[in-house]
Amino acid sequence: MKSAAGFLLAAKRCEIQGLEQLATTAELLGGIARLVHVLQKERGASNVYLGSGGSRFAAQRLQIIAEGAAAEAEVRQRLYRLDVDTGRMSGGARLFSRIAWVLHGLDALPALRERIAAQVLSPAQVTAAFSELIAGLLAVVFEAADTACDPAVSRALVALFNFMQGKELAGQERATGAAAFAAGRADASRQQRLLHLIEAQERCFQLFAEFAGSDTVALWHAQQQAGTLAELERLRRVLCATPADGVLDAELSDAWFECCTTRLDAMRAVEDALAAHLRTLCAGKISDARAELHDQKSLLDALVAGAPGGVPPVAVFFERALAGADGDPHANGELLAADGLGPQLGRSVLDMLQAQSRRLQAMSDELNAVRGALNERKVIERAKGLLMAHRGLTEDQAYKMLRQTAMNQGRRLVDVAEATLALADLLPSGP
Amino acid sequence: MKSAAGFLLAAKRCEIQGLEQLATTAELLGGIARLVHVLQKERGASNVYLGSGGSRFAAQRLQIIAEGAAAEAEVRQRLYRLDVDTGRMSGGARLFSRIAWVLHGLDALPALRERIAAQVLSPAQVTAAFSELIAGLLAVVFEAADTACDPAVSRALVALFNFMQGKELAGQERATGAAAFAAGRADASRQQRLLHLIEAQERCFQLFAEFAGSDTVALWHAQQQAGTLAELERLRRVLCATPADGVLDAELSDAWFECCTTRLDAMRAVEDALAAHLRTLCAGKISDARAELHDQKSLLDALVAGAPGGVPPVAVFFERALAGADGDPHANGELLAADGLGPQLGRSVLDMLQAQSRRLQAMSDELNAVRGALNERKVIERAKGLLMAHRGLTEDQAYKMLRQTAMNQGRRLVDVAEATLALADLLPSGP
């Protein structure tokens, strides 16, 4: 470890460690995706159960809870096994803080379920409660995506996060629509909420398509069956275009629920493909990095063996600087000769160092770009939250205000969101 | 570790680990600042030695080399002691790669010095060679600043990095000016180089002032003695305003060298203050974080002790979501009562989680902002390098071209630099 070559190898070992951590994280996220899916199902079933005064979905609900137990146990096991050393990663504190939040929520689930069984909660309350827990699980995925140290893996994580987010919005759409049909009457604020959920989903799936591989995007298109989509759009039209206080056919509730569920199950297949891709990607990167480490070691050993006195040639370090300066090129030639080694061999360590440095720099640049996309989303979400708190707006009103301002000023949405956050102190406090 | 409370504490422990690594890094950077200072002296002395055909500074040069040995040994020791686990930090691979580069350069120093003693190199070559090594050392400081996980420490690191960079540009100004006086004749390209070095210094010191504490900025202003500054500006005027090919008084060489050296020594004092501030900051943060960890532990113990069956209350997790939904507030009240604990006590774990999460989020936002400033610098440097390589421009021509484009288009310099990098593939390849 006490030489340039030692640190060259140590840098490669760092990369390998980082990739191994990502592989562990990928397994965890696969488990989280499964748990979120079953919680989404439980939210839907609980809504129907409560909306029907306990007359429907009582057995289904219990079956889903039983299914969920296995998914929860898997996530808990993976969390408990998380190496405490993960904390050495930048952002480890944030990840652990998110995990604490999620565990707290999972611990509170049995009490929530008892209240649902006793029918002392409204469908809206249950939707809000499950959505809060799922948001916590998605926040774990977000932190994992934010701390990835490899750009390709980071892209795969961003694709997975956005897809999961879109799927969750689709799940909320299912619950909101089911409640609307169950109520039997169109309601303006619910309609606004549905339109917002539909629009926000589209944004998530666009970002997913931007960051996912073409195979997964093709799978997503294939999964969206034309028949289901047409039925979904027809029911969406009924939900959103019926005049406020107009009658909604409660009988459509089942068709809506089934149609949305078919769609969510199709999304689940895409999620699985994304998680599998992530695992394959990590495994491939780890094996590539190990092969590179092996090659670097062999080359360094050969250099040391070929050098006089077993010391690798170093004097060529300054070669470029000396050649670039306005000096006598002859002096420079002499310097090279003084190494007692062909310049070809002498250059090898330097070449390895420069190649590695260039590669790491390129990775870092690409990573910053991917993270930029993640951060944009975070900035927009926070600006929205700020407007909701300070101006008493709903989520979609806040989003529309940001978008309108961006269009009026010819600026990017994220720039307007950033400006909004920067002005936070100047905003009037809310009602 | 197997509970929400466990991960809450683990998050705090992660923060402490990160801060302890920063404290180690701070010691290393202090050593690097000392080594860079002595290398800058050696570069200056070697310039005078070579410029005078070996008749001047022969003894001083050897004395500086002896001084440098101690500084180099210290840095090497600190590097060797660097925990390999530093690699767990995101960006650890980049840091190690930079360190490998620096060690390679230090290994090559003795051979370079032999060439200088034998006077087979030009002053320009020697300046380029030392500048290359110092640039490598500054890159280590940059990577350390980029991987900091605490915004206050990150600000201090950005201030230190920019100050060191400014000081290095001042050192290059000393060497370039000394060579100009020694040559006895004004030279247009050297004058352009000097103007660039002066302007680039100003930018660095502005960034330093933006990120440093007011105490250090005040010290920097106090250190810049009016007399030295006036003399420096007078000599700068002589160097830059003498018509090309006009005579420069070689006798002014000593005055120039001394004046610049006084200034660099004053900078060294500010650098020391910055490094000391960094150490104090890390120590303070570590002790605060440990105290917070202790408080969190005590509070959690009290909660467990006060809870029935020794289990902390969790059901309040969903309280906010339930209260926020359009449900029956009475149902919500019931839920709280069902805990068998006052809501006050029940809320404590949740409050701790939320407070920690908010604090970590705020830190992360601030950190991103500080890193943004670092990245801007990197983007501008790389765009400059690209223009130099592809269009055969000098550094200052490239910078002026970027700045002019930004002014013409009413855009920020960093945006133009980013656009330049994005267009890299479209640029014609250089001469």
Side-chain angles (χ1 to χ4, degrees), chain A residues 93 109 136 139 141 148 150 153 288 306 314 332:
Chain A
L109 258 187
V141 181
D150 178 277
V153 177
D288 287 354
V314 292
N332 193 14

Side-chain angles (χ1 to χ4, degrees), chain A residues 2-87:
Chain A
K2 311 233 158 176
S3 66
F7 274 95
L8 179 75
L9 299 177
K12 183 55 79 182
R13 282 195 202 96
C14 280
E15 275 189 72
I16 295 174
Q17 276 182 347
L19 288 166
E20 284 169 347
Q21 276 181 340
L22 281 177
T24 309
T25 306
E27 298 287 348
L28 170 65
L29 299 192
I32 287 181
R34 278 186 288 278
L35 176 57
V36 166
H37 187 68
V38 92
L39 288 172
Q40 285 165 340
K41 273 210 258 185
E42 188 180 348
R43 176 177 55 196
S46 303
N47 257 291
V48 177
Y49 174 77
L50 289 172
S52 66
S55 67
R56 300 185 53 219
F57 272 31
Q60 284 97 322
R61 191 182 146 259
L62 294 177
Q63 198 193 324
I64 293 167
I65 291 174
E67 260 181 63
E72 181 182 334
E74 188 206 337
V75 167
R76 282 184 181 269
Q77 278 311 313
R78 293 203 185 278
L79 290 177
Y80 300 158
R81 277 204 303 262
L82 258 198
D83 196 344
V84 180
D85 283 346
T86 309

Side-chain angles (χ1 to χ4, degrees), chain B residues 39-224:
Chain B
L39 288 171
Q40 286 165 339
K41 273 210 259 186
E42 187 179 347
R43 175 177 57 194
S46 302
N47 257 292
V48 177
Y49 174 76
L50 288 172
S52 66
S55 67
R56 300 185 52 220
F57 272 31
Q60 284 96 321
R61 191 183 145 259
L62 294 176
Q63 198 193 323
I64 292 166
I65 291 173
E67 260 180 64
E72 182 181 333
E74 187 205 337
V75 167
R76 280 183 182 271
Q77 278 311 312
R78 292 202 186 278
L79 289 178
Y80 300 157
R81 277 203 304 260
L82 258 199
D83 195 346
V84 180
D85 283 345
T86 309
R88 307 265 174 119
M89 291 175 6
S90 133
R94 284 205 309 283
L95 182 63
F96 280 9
S97 173
R98 300 291 190 198
I99 290 172
W101 179 255
V102 157
L103 286 175
H104 202 60
L106 290 175
D107 288 346
L109 257 186
L112 181 74
R113 284 171 179 150
E114 278 176 33
R115 300 274 116 190
I116 294 168
Q119 301 183 47
V120 293
L121 297 174
S122 71
Q125 282 183 312
V126 162
T127 300
F130 275 97
S131 302
E132 173 110 345
L133 178 56
I134 292 169
L137 286 159
L138 287 173
V140 172
V141 180
F142 180 90
E143 289 304 335
D146 201 31
T147 53
C149 55
D150 178 278
V153 177
S154 186
R155 290 181 69 85
L157 283 166
V158 172
L160 176 62
F161 170 73
N162 276 295
F163 196 87
M164 288 180 76
Q165 184 84 28
K167 176 168 176 270
E168 164 59 6
L169 292 166
Q172 291 181 21
E173 185 194 358
R174 174 173 64 182
T176 307
F181 279 122
R185 200 159 282 280
D187 169 290
S189 80
R190 219 179 239 140
Q191 288 178 327
Q192 208 182 20
R193 172 95 191 127
L194 280 167
L195 287 170
H196 171 70
L197 289 169
I198 293 166
E199 195 186 354
Q201 272 172 65
E202 293 309 316
R203 271 186 292 144
C204 287
F205 292 129
Q206 270 166 21
L207 279 167
F208 147 75
E210 205 174 301
F211 285 96
S214 53
D215 286 5
T216 325
V217 176
L219 174 66
W220 168 227
H221 288 305
Q223 284 284 343
Q224 299 187 81

Side-chain angles (χ1 to χ4, degrees), chain A residues 4 7 10-11 14 85 87-88 93 100 103-104 108 115 120 124-125 129 132 314 318 320 322 326 331 335 350 365 382, chain B residues 4 7 11 14 85 87-88 93 96 100 103-104 108 115 120 124-125 129 132 314 318 320 322 326 331 335 350 361 365 382:
Chain A
F7 274 95
C14 280
D85 283 346
R88 306 266 172 118
L103 286 175
H104 202 60
R115 301 273 116 193
V120 294
Q125 281 183 313
E132 173 108 347
V314 292
F318 292 113
R320 190 181 59 179
L322 295 175
D326 58 359
L335 182 71
L350 211 64
D365 291 344
R382 289 181 47 236
Chain B
F7 275 96
C14 279
D85 283 345
R88 307 265 174 119
F96 280 9
L103 286 175
H104 202 60
R115 300 274 116 190
V120 293
Q125 282 183 312
E132 173 110 345
V314 292
F318 292 113
R320 190 181 59 179
L322 296 176
D326 58 357
L335 181 73
L350 211 64
Q361 187 57 55
D365 292 343
R382 289 182 46 235

Side-chain angles (χ1 to χ4, degrees), chain A residues 322-344:
Chain A
L322 295 175
D326 58 359
D328 175 6
H330 180 63
N332 193 14
E334 267 190 278
L335 182 71
L336 276 180
D339 282 331
L341 283 160
Q344 208 49 48

